[in-house]
Amino acid sequence: MVKQEERSASSRAKLTLSARALFVAQGYEAASIDGIAAEAGLTKGAFYHHYKDKKAVFLEVFEAVEEELTARVRQASRAADPWTGLKAGCLAFLDEAMRDDVQRIIFKDGPPVLGWDLWHEIDARYGLGMIQKGLELSAEAGFIEKRPMRPLALLLFGALCEAAREIGGAEKPKAMRRHFAAEIGMLLEGLRA
């Protein structure tokens, strides 16, 4: 029984990794179930044993990319004080937004494949919570004025997501990232108490 569970977990992991590679390289629409299975060295039947359809594997890949993105931003936001951490986290998010997998899966294919509501719910579960916590801790430490933080967190979250989309579509992403980093920096400094 244990070996069967291990084989099943291994097959699912291969399919997920293959799907991720194809989604990044080809985009959701062009990637096929046959291609995902072949890339994983498995059959189409094995795919359907683990996933209902292509959208189901995309959702799993989407969540994995969100988790990785969040972990990297969280790591970057560790600082001596919450305000410095919040700023560092925002800049790290812009850096991570330049990655091909983040651009393609989170910002380009995510909204049309998952639908706006589900995309926003998942994206907010990861990023919005971190931003709100950073703002709350910054207010408690006296860096910014205390007030209800959800509206401010939503505005900052929206600004960062739009910046990420623009960076991804820019002819010169590094230059565009520098412009947005400067603007986000000024925006945050405008909040200082």
Side-chain angles (χ1 to χ4, degrees):
M1 186 69 162
V2 173
K3 288 190 181 215
Q4 177 58 33
E5 289 174 5
E6 289 172 359
R7 279 195 299 274
S8 182
S10 174
S11 293
R12 187 176 180 98
K14 287 178 185 176
L15 287 165
T16 305
L17 287 172
S18 297
R20 182 175 179 158
L22 291 178
F23 291 150
V24 173
Q26 301 173 358
Y28 178 82
E29 288 300 323
S32 69
I33 291 172
D34 287 329
I36 292 167
E39 181 78 15
L42 299 168
T43 65
K44 191 173 181 178
F47 178 93
Y48 283 113
H49 175 74
H50 294 284
Y51 297 103
K52 180 177 87 170
D53 54 21
K54 187 168 71 165
K55 184 176 177 180
V57 73
F58 181 83
L59 179 59
E60 189 165 312
V61 168
F62 185 90
E63 291 264 6
V65 174
E66 282 281 9
E67 287 172 7
E68 292 168 14
L69 171 64
T70 301
R72 288 183 175 112
V73 170
R74 185 172 282 120
Q75 180 64 35
S77 66
R78 294 186 180 167
D81 65 74
W83 181 248
T84 303
L86 177 65
K87 292 191 298 184
C90 289
L91 297 179
F93 178 82
L94 296 180
D95 290 336
E96 292 299 315
M98 293 179 20
R99 290 182 18 216
D100 291 340
D101 59 343
V102 171
Q103 275 299 316
R104 173 62 90 166
I105 292 167
I106 302 298
F107 295 108
K108 186 169 186 180
D109 286 345
V113 172
L114 301 176
W116 171 252
D117 289 338
L118 181 56
W119 177 86
H120 187 265
E121 175 191 319
I122 295 168
D123 203 42
R125 186 175 347 127
Y126 290 96
L128 180 60
M130 272 196 330
I131 292 170
Q132 186 165 337
K133 187 68 172 171
L135 289 168
E136 289 168 352
L137 291 172
S138 293
E140 288 172 17
F143 290 100
I144 60 175
E145 179 184 317
K146 289 184 180 182
R147 58 183 178 266
M149 289 298 168
R150 182 147 176 93
L152 183 56
L154 281 165
L155 289 170
L156 185 53
F157 176 70
L160 287 167
C161 287
E162 286 303 312
R165 288 177 49 83
E166 287 293 317
I167 289 168
E171 281 185 34
K172 297 179 180 179
K174 289 181 181 178
M176 186 63 72
R177 186 254 178 233
R178 282 192 301 274
H179 291 301
F180 276 110
E183 293 298 329
I184 292 291
M186 287 189 282
L187 181 80
L188 289 171
E189 283 306 311
L191 299 174
R192 290 293 300 263

